[in-house]
Amino acid sequence: MAEFESILKSEEMDFFCDAILSLKDREECYRFFEDICTINEIKSIVQRLEVARMLKMKQTYTDIASNTGASTATISRVNRCLNYGKDGYNIVLKKLIDK
């Protein structure tokens, strides 16, 4: 299998990824993300991951929208990423489910 080449690839993105990978626990994650993101940015990311989790659990768009507050456009975008994206959601969800 060929190594994945992201369209985001840059020295700055590598530094950002290394920063995230350097975090040792939830407290450090909370501290880092509260400093680097706005509350709304964090909530959007958290919402998308929850939408992905619910889609993997075969929940309906209606249930997902009701439980998360996500728009059908957001749910559709996440679903498209799950099925045709770069496998980022699937990699994370598999690790969390297998945990």
Side-chain angles (χ1 to χ4, degrees):
M1 177 186 255
E3 184 175 332
F4 175 72
E5 275 299 319
S6 172
I7 60 172
L8 299 172
K9 182 80 172 148
S10 69
E11 286 184 31
E12 295 82 6
M13 188 63 185
D14 285 350
F15 187 73
F16 179 69
C17 290
D18 291 343
I20 293 171
L21 292 169
S22 76
L23 300 170
K24 70 176 183 186
D25 57 27
R26 281 190 186 140
E27 181 181 336
E28 287 189 0
C29 287
Y30 276 105
R31 290 172 179 266
F32 178 70
F33 283 104
E34 284 189 36
D35 279 352
I36 202 163
C37 296
T38 67
I39 298 300
N40 286 337
E41 289 167 336
I42 294 169
K43 286 182 176 181
S44 291
I45 293 167
V46 168
Q47 181 187 64
R48 288 184 203 133
L49 185 57
E50 179 61 10
V51 166
R53 186 183 71 79
M54 292 179 78
L55 285 166
K56 290 297 262 185
M57 294 172 48
K58 306 294 186 201
Q59 300 280 326
T60 66
Y61 274 38
T62 304
D63 287 341
I64 295 169
S66 174
N67 287 315
T68 66
S71 68
T72 55
T74 296
I75 298 167
S76 180
R77 181 180 183 281
V78 171
N79 193 45
R80 199 167 42 254
C81 289
L82 281 170
N83 293 306
Y84 307 108
K86 308 295 187 219
D87 264 346
Y89 283 118
N90 290 312
I91 290 166
V92 167
L93 291 171
K94 181 172 181 359
K95 288 181 180 189
L96 291 173
I97 291 167
D98 288 349
K99 187 175 176 182

